[in-house]
Amino acid sequence: MNAPLHPLPNAETTAELPGLTLLIAAPRGFCAGVDRAIEIVERAIEKYGAPVYVRHEIVHNRYVVEALKAKGAVFVEELDDVPDDAPVVFSAHGVPKSVPAEAERRKLVYVDATCPLVSKVHRQAERQLEKGRHILFIGHDGHPEVIGTMGQVPPGTMTLVETLEDARTVTPPAGAQLAYLTQTTLSVDDTAEITAELERRFPDIAGPKAEDICYATSNRQAAVKQIAPGSDLVLVIGAPNSSNSVRLVEVAERCGTPARLIQRAADIDPAWLEGVGSIGLTAGASAPEELVREVVDQLKQWRQVEEHTLVSTVENMIFKLPRQLTD
C-alpha cells in the first residue's frame, strides 16, 4: 500500500540537509463520520462475509478505498451493479430516498453509513417541506452529498445555490415561504457570505437552528488558519473530489499562503521546496493519519525537519454504529 518515496536529491548526509519548520495542524484527518463509515464496512464484511458491496466510494480517499477492497469490499456506482443475494453499504455522503426504496423492493440487505450530521440535514429538509417552505440549498452541484440531500424531497421543492452570485440572482417560486440549508463540507467563510446575502434579499427566510457545516469541517478550516500565516507553503492531504479537502486549500490561499492538494507523499515535487523554510501540513476528513506520517517521512529525506503541532481545538465526537451491526 505504501507509495514509493522520492530518493534523496543528492548524497548529502542528514546533518548537511537544510532545515525545515513543519507546522502540523490539529485537528486534521479522519472525523467521527469517516471513522464510523469505515468501521461499518469492516463490520459488515465480518458479519456477512466477503464480498460486501459499497455504493460509491465510502469516503473520498483512494488509500481507504483500496484498503477496504483488500478486505473484501466491492465498490459500485449503482444498485443495479449489486447482485440480489449480496449485502450493500451506502456511503457516508448520503443517498436519495429512491436508493433505500429500491434496495427494499429488491429485498437487499443494506446498511446505511450516511454520516449522522448529513442525516440531520436530510431531516431538516423534510421538516421545512412539511412547513410548506421552498428550500434554497447551498452546495456544489454533482457532489454526492448534494445529490443525496436533494433526493430527500420531491423535484422542484429545492433550488441549488452554489455561489455568492447565485445568491444574488436566484429566483424562488413567486410567493413561496423560504428556508435555506447547506452542504456539510463547505467553506465556512464563503457560506457565511452566501447566507448573509440570502437573508438580506429574503428577510423572512428560515435558517437551520444550528449551522449545517459539520464540526469537523469547521475545525479543520480553523486549524489551517492557525498554521497558514507562519508557512511558506501549505500541503493538504486529500482527494481532488473531497469537498472538505479542497476547501482547506482555499482557506490557506485566502490567508495569503500558497497551498497544494496532494493524495500522498509521492505527489510532492521536490521543486516545491525551493526557497521554502516552513511548511504547513494538514489532512482532509477522509485522509488517514498514515498518510500524514508518510509525508513527514518524505520531507525528512530532503530536509532536517523540526515538527510543531498547533492544536486549535480537541475533538472527542463519537457516532454510534447501526444497530444491525452491533446486535
Side-chain angles (χ1 to χ4, degrees):
M1 293 295 300
N2 289 332
L5 298 180
H6 291 287
L8 284 169
N10 51 49
E12 290 178 301
T13 65
T14 302
E16 296 172 327
L17 294 174
L20 178 71
T21 300
L22 184 61
L23 305 178
I24 304 178
R28 62 183 177 273
F30 279 0
C31 62
V34 169
D35 274 331
R36 175 180 180 269
I38 293 169
E39 187 173 356
I40 283 173
V41 176
E42 292 172 339
R43 289 214 182 192
I45 293 169
E46 290 175 7
K47 179 169 182 174
Y48 302 116
V52 166
Y53 287 75
V54 183
R55 184 185 180 277
H56 291 172
E57 291 184 337
I58 186 69
V59 294
H60 284 153
N61 186 274
R62 186 187 307 165
Y63 180 94
V64 171
V65 168
E66 292 301 321
L68 291 173
K69 281 182 179 179
K71 294 179 180 181
V74 177
F75 291 85
V76 297
E77 286 303 305
E78 299 297 343
L79 283 187
D80 290 347
D81 302 317
V82 179
D84 288 338
D85 58 349
V88 60
V89 176
F90 302 149
S91 82
H93 309 101
V95 295
K97 281 186 174 181
S98 58
V99 174
E102 173 63 10
E104 289 174 4
R105 186 193 68 79
R106 290 180 55 193
K107 296 182 170 55
L108 293 176
V109 173
Y110 69 88
V111 185
D112 189 353
T114 300
C115 173
L117 298 180
V118 174
S119 296
K120 182 190 76 171
V121 178
H122 290 181
R123 292 192 297 270
Q124 289 174 339
E126 292 174 333
R127 284 197 293 267
Q128 296 296 2
L129 186 66
E130 289 169 359
K131 294 177 181 178
R133 293 181 176 134
H134 183 86
I135 301 165
L136 302 181
F137 186 65
I138 304 167
H140 298 296
D141 189 23
H143 189 277
E145 183 184 331
V146 171
I147 294 170
T149 302
M150 296 189 76
Q152 302 303 306
V153 297
T157 58
M158 186 181 287
T159 299
L160 185 64
V161 175
E162 290 194 79
T163 65
L164 181 57
E165 182 59 27
D166 287 346
R168 290 171 177 152
T169 58
V170 64
T171 305
Q177 289 185 301
L178 300 177
Y180 72 83
L181 299 171
T182 82
Q183 185 179 332
T184 64
T185 55
L186 299 178
S187 160
V188 173
D189 295 332
D190 289 345
T191 304
E193 291 180 352
I194 292 172
T195 57
E197 177 62 17
L198 292 177
E199 289 169 349
R200 183 194 67 80
R201 289 189 61 203
F202 311 108
D204 294 330
I205 194 169
K209 291 181 179 178
E211 189 178 71
D212 285 338
I213 295 175
C214 82
Y215 77 95
T217 297
S218 299
N219 288 349
R220 279 149 191 71
Q221 290 179 23
V224 167
K225 291 177 182 178
Q226 189 165 342
I227 63 170
S231 305
D232 298 320
L233 170 69
V234 170
L235 297 177
V236 177
I237 303 170
N241 59 341
S242 167
S243 175
N244 77 87
S245 299
V246 174
R247 303 289 83 74
L248 295 178
V249 173
E250 295 171 353
V251 168
E253 291 174 341
R254 181 171 284 185
C255 292
T257 305
R260 295 198 179 256
L261 181 68
I262 59 173
Q263 299 203 58
R264 57 189 318 173
D267 295 341
I268 303 172
D269 184 341
W272 297 349
L273 275 64
E274 293 177 9
V276 169
S278 59
I279 284 180
L281 178 62
T282 190
S286 303
E289 184 65 15
E290 297 98 299
L291 298 185
V292 176
R293 299 318 306 176
E294 180 185 279
V295 168
V296 174
D297 290 343
Q298 175 63 83
L299 294 174
K300 286 181 176 178
Q301 292 207 37
W302 294 325
R303 297 289 192 91
Q304 288 190 70
V305 174
E306 182 180 322
E307 288 185 50
H308 300 276
T309 299
L310 278 61
V311 180
S312 60
T313 190
V314 176
E315 295 178 347
N316 53 17
M317 183 78 74
I318 298 174
F319 293 136
K320 293 180 179 179
L321 295 173
R323 186 174 299 171
Q324 69 206 92
L325 295 180
T326 58
D327 287 345

